[in-house]
Amino acid sequence: MAAISVHQFAHSITSHAWSPDKSMVALCPNNSEVHIYKLVEDKWEKAHVLQKHDQVISGIDWSRRSNRIVTASHDRNSYVWNLEGSEWVPTLVILRLNRAALCVQWSPEENKFAVGSGAKTVCICYYEQENNWWVSKLIRKRHDSSVTSVSWHPNNILLATTSTDGKCRVFSTFIKGVDAKDSKKATSSDFKFGELIVQLDLSSSWTFGVKWSPSGNTLAYVGHNSMIYFVDDVGPSPLAQNVVFRDLPLRDVLFVSEKMVIGVGFDCNPMVFAADERGIWSFIRYLGEQEVVSSGSSYGSQFSEAFGKLYGQSKHGASNDAVETSKPHENCINSIMPMSEQGTLIRRFSTSGLDGRIVLWDLENVPDLLELLVR
């Protein structure tokens, strides 16, 4: 099975992030604290508790190079935590928000981070050497509702956002004196800060979980209408396609390769999507599926499935043509994070959810998906 270990850390987890060497994990147990656990002799032990926020922490990200943690909270503040000796020391970042901060992510070069908020605003934060503090520039009056997720393009300048207004947008975050003009990035650096590159109106519902592919050529995000959207050639004339699935909506996605995406959400079981040789995306299967059990009549299977749904039974267990599944999560999965990366491939990743669990997954244990991953 793809799930290699399940760890119960709390009653509920809102977000989690891994240290650069993956020996520690930072998580929020649905309150105003960050708990950092360290792996000691195959057991997770609580090593630190970060206490500075006043309300629930909605986002955590741990930088790979500089070993800094950034947090965002419903208290409208963000903190950057630096490890000094054996203690994590916080630095307050003034976001100038009048609503909750909902998500946060470091840029690829780790000289900026983005915070999405319920104030219809995105904060781009960077370190000001002269004054020795973190400052923020705001992208305002572009969203019509809360910003639910942010994702940095590999070029460190373009930023994608999703919102409960049903739209996905891509902005330029070029800041003079922070971002160096590069001939390879000439197209991106020519845009002014906060300039809207493209607005995608593909969904009629809330949107979440936006991510760029490793090359930055494809953008993926999900809608609360049980659809996932893939966009190529992001710009004035993007090429978009969507995949509709019959099950519960997704909340987050992760590109494990240029042509494969793992989606997680309310079905408590990661979903695998892949593109074929023509670039057409489709749903492959659940990651927790074991084997297909055949078969009764088509009518009988549909009747059994409907009957099972009516009485709250699993749709997979009710159907005569059902697929046997195993779900390490027992509640909505709200976060998926990479663990091991080999070039542009991610073979291991983790998920956390409202059941308080963090589950580690390894695609090496799923031969058919591994074949798709490395093709």
Side-chain angles (χ1 to χ4, degrees):
M1 185 181 173
I4 56 176
S5 59
V6 180
H7 305 281
Q8 185 77 47
F9 287 102
H11 292 295
S12 180
I13 295 176
T14 57
S15 182
H16 79 287
W18 293 93
S19 64
D21 63 359
K22 306 300 186 290
S23 64
M24 293 189 290
V25 61
L27 59 91
C28 171
N30 199 30
N31 59 21
S32 60
E33 300 176 345
V34 174
H35 294 182
I36 300 178
Y37 288 84
K38 186 174 184 178
L39 188 61
V40 178
E41 296 180 354
D42 297 328
K43 292 184 179 180
W44 291 99
E45 297 182 358
K46 190 183 295 183
H48 304 275
V49 177
L50 310 186
Q51 297 173 311
K52 203 64 180 177
H53 287 287
D54 297 326
Q55 295 183 33
V56 172
I57 294 172
S58 50
I60 306 172
D61 200 15
W62 200 325
S63 62
R64 301 180 186 181
R65 303 178 194 171
S66 55
N67 195 36
R68 293 179 297 197
I69 297 174
V70 62
T71 56
S73 167
H74 291 181
D75 63 11
R76 301 170 293 168
N77 291 322
S78 181
Y79 285 93
V80 175
W81 303 78
N82 291 279
L83 184 61
E84 298 181 4
S86 60
E87 297 295 325
W88 288 93
V89 178
T91 301
L92 176 65
V93 184
I94 304 297
L95 299 179
R96 296 178 289 159
L97 296 175
N98 59 6
R99 295 291 187 274
L102 301 178
C103 52
V104 64
Q105 188 182 56
W106 285 106
S107 68
E109 295 182 10
E110 299 178 10
N111 58 346
K112 301 181 288 186
F113 62 87
V115 179
S117 74
K120 311 176 187 178
T121 299
V122 178
C123 305
I124 307 300
C125 307
Y126 61 96
Y127 191 71
E128 206 170 64
Q129 294 284 354
E130 297 86 2
N131 298 310
N132 193 31
W133 60 24
W134 290 87
V135 297
S136 63
K137 294 188 70 172
L138 306 186
I139 300 176
R140 287 175 167 162
K141 300 181 179 179
R142 297 291 190 176
H143 299 86
D144 298 323
S145 191
S146 299
V147 180
T148 56
S149 67
V150 295
S151 180
W152 288 94
H153 190 277
N155 68 11
N156 204 67
I157 294 176
L158 298 182
L159 180 77
T161 68
T162 53
S163 171
T164 49
D165 62 12
K167 297 176 177 62
C168 177
R169 299 172 175 88
V170 178
F171 297 95
S172 168
T173 67
F174 181 82
I175 300 175
K176 188 176 180 180
V178 177
D179 297 300
K181 280 217 171 189
D182 188 341
S183 59
K184 296 180 180 178
K185 304 177 184 177
T187 303
S188 300
S189 58
D190 285 344
F191 293 111
K192 296 179 181 178
F193 176 86
E195 186 171 347
L196 181 63
I197 310 302
V198 65
Q199 177 174 295
L200 302 167
D201 302 335
L202 304 177
S203 177
S204 58
S205 64
W206 299 344
T207 53
F208 300 96
V210 64
K211 288 293 191 308
W212 293 93
S213 65
S215 68
N217 294 330
T218 304
L219 187 68
Y221 66 100
V222 299
H224 207 58
N225 53 355
S226 293
M227 296 179 71
I228 182 169
Y229 305 91
F230 299 95
V231 184
D232 295 313
D233 300 331
V234 176
S237 302
L239 302 175
Q241 55 182 296
N242 60 67
V243 178
V244 184
F245 47 94
R246 66 176 184 174
D247 301 305
L248 299 178
L250 299 174
R251 283 298 307 272
D252 200 7
V253 298
L254 175 69
F255 276 91
V256 292
S257 73
E258 194 67 26
K259 297 296 183 180
M260 183 182 290
V261 165
I262 307 295
V264 296
F266 291 94
D267 241 308
C268 312
N269 198 351
M271 301 175 71
V272 182
F273 301 87
D276 60 19
E277 295 79 5
R278 300 170 296 164
I280 305 300
W281 288 87
S282 61
F283 170 64
I284 303 300
R285 68 176 181 86
Y286 280 101
L287 200 54
E289 288 180 0
Q290 296 296 309
E291 59 181 342
V292 176
V293 182
S294 61
S295 157
S297 69
S298 175
Y299 175 82
S301 66
Q302 293 173 9
F303 178 82
S304 298
E305 182 173 351
F307 189 83
K309 286 183 177 180
L310 178 65
Y311 287 94
Q313 298 173 10
S314 166
K315 55 183 161 295
H316 298 290
S319 172
N320 290 342
D321 288 326
V323 177
E324 292 184 0
T325 63
S326 176
K327 296 183 180 180
H329 282 286
E330 295 180 348
N331 207 330
C332 173
I333 306 173
N334 52 23
S335 178
I336 178 170
M337 299 294 293
M339 290 196 64
S340 67
E341 300 181 37
Q342 299 175 353
T344 60
L345 302 181
I346 298 174
R347 298 172 187 265
R348 296 184 67 185
F349 57 89
S350 63
T351 57
S352 65
L354 300 183
D355 55 4
R357 295 177 179 179
I358 291 181
V359 180
L360 309 185
W361 305 81
D362 193 341
L363 295 179
E364 293 278 0
N365 296 341
V366 191
D368 60 319
L369 295 182
L370 186 62
E371 183 179 345
L372 288 174
L373 181 70
V374 301
R375 70 181 180 184

